[in-house]
Amino acid sequence: MGKNYYLHKSKKTGEILYLEYDKIKGYPITPQTKIEDAIEVHKIIFTNKTLQQKLVKKKVEIKLRYFLKKLEEFDTSDDSSSGEIQNTILEAERLRINILNRYVHYLGNTYASYSLSKIQLIINQLKENLYQVIKKEKYQSFKEQMDIQNLYYLDEEEPKKGRGR
C-alpha cells in the first residue's frame, strides 16, 4: 500500500499542504460507490466535530427506523418465523454494541444513552414477539399431535358435571 496524504489547498497562499494521513483523528468512512473516470477513494476521514456527530446520528437513526419498521412488520403479520425475529434481535444487539464501542465518542453521552434506551425497548419488544411466536408454534405442534391421536383439545369446553337440578 502506498503513502496516504491529506490534501488541502490554502485559499490565501494557494499552496497544497501534505500531511500524514494516519495521524489525523476523525470519523472514517469508506465510500461504496465506484465511478469510472474518477479519482479512486478508499477512505474519507471527517475531522469536523459537528459533522461527525451529524453523520453518526443519521446512521443510528436510519438503523432505528429500520428496526421499528421490522417490529411493525412482525406485529402485523401472522406468518413471521422465529428465525427472522432472532436475526433481527441479533442485528439490534450488534447496533447496541457498536454504539457502546464506537459511536459514544462521536455522539456524546446524552444522545448515546437516549439511543441505547430506544434500542433496548426495541429488543425487549422483539423478544416478546419471539416468545409469542415460539409459544404459538409449540401450541400448533401440540394440537397436531393431539389430532393425530384423536384426543380432545385443551381449548374445547368439556361438559359440566354436576347434579343438574
Side-chain angles (χ1 to χ4, degrees), residues 27 49-57 60 96 98-117:
Y27 180 65
K49 296 285 184 188
T50 56
L51 186 59
Q52 291 172 1
Q53 187 177 16
K54 285 180 184 178
L55 288 172
V56 173
K57 273 186 181 181
V60 170
R96 188 173 72 77
N98 278 339
I99 288 175
L100 287 172
N101 291 340
R102 293 184 196 170
Y103 301 146
V104 170
H105 174 71
Y106 305 112
L107 290 174
N109 289 333
T110 56
Y111 188 79
S113 63
Y114 177 66
S115 59
L116 286 173
S117 64

Side-chain angles (χ1 to χ4, degrees), residues 36-51:
E36 293 182 22
D37 299 332
I39 298 173
E40 194 172 316
V41 179
H42 297 289
K43 188 176 184 182
I44 300 171
I45 296 181
F46 294 100
T47 56
N48 189 350
K49 296 285 184 188
T50 56
L51 186 59

Side-chain angles (χ1 to χ4, degrees), residues 122-138:
I122 291 171
I123 290 171
N124 289 345
Q125 187 64 35
L126 285 169
K127 286 181 180 178
E128 186 174 325
N129 285 358
L130 179 66
Y131 174 74
Q132 294 296 329
V133 167
I134 290 174
K135 184 177 172 183
K136 186 177 177 183
E137 288 174 356
K138 284 185 179 179

Side-chain angles (χ1 to χ4, degrees), residues 106-165:
Y106 305 112
L107 290 174
N109 289 333
T110 56
Y111 188 79
S113 63
Y114 177 66
S115 59
L116 286 173
S117 64
K118 281 183 179 180
I119 292 172
Q120 193 59 46
L121 288 172
I122 291 171
I123 290 171
N124 289 345
Q125 187 64 35
L126 285 169
K127 286 181 180 178
E128 186 174 325
N129 285 358
L130 179 66
Y131 174 74
Q132 294 296 329
V133 167
I134 290 174
K135 184 177 172 183
K136 186 177 177 183
E137 288 174 356
K138 284 185 179 179
Y139 180 74
Q140 288 296 332
S141 66
F142 177 73
K143 196 172 182 181
E144 288 172 3
Q145 288 176 356
M146 291 301 206
D147 192 30
I148 291 171
Q149 297 174 1
N150 293 327
L151 297 175
Y152 291 106
Y153 297 120
L154 293 177
D155 57 352
E156 291 183 359
E157 292 185 24
E158 294 180 15
K160 294 182 180 179
K161 294 181 180 178
R163 291 190 202 175
R165 295 183 202 181

Side-chain angles (χ1 to χ4, degrees), residues 55-71:
L55 288 172
V56 173
K57 273 186 181 181
K58 187 173 181 180
K59 190 174 192 176
V60 170
E61 286 296 324
I62 288 170
K63 282 288 193 179
L64 285 174
R65 273 190 248 123
Y66 166 75
F67 288 128
L68 287 173
K69 191 181 290 184
K70 287 291 256 186
L71 187 62

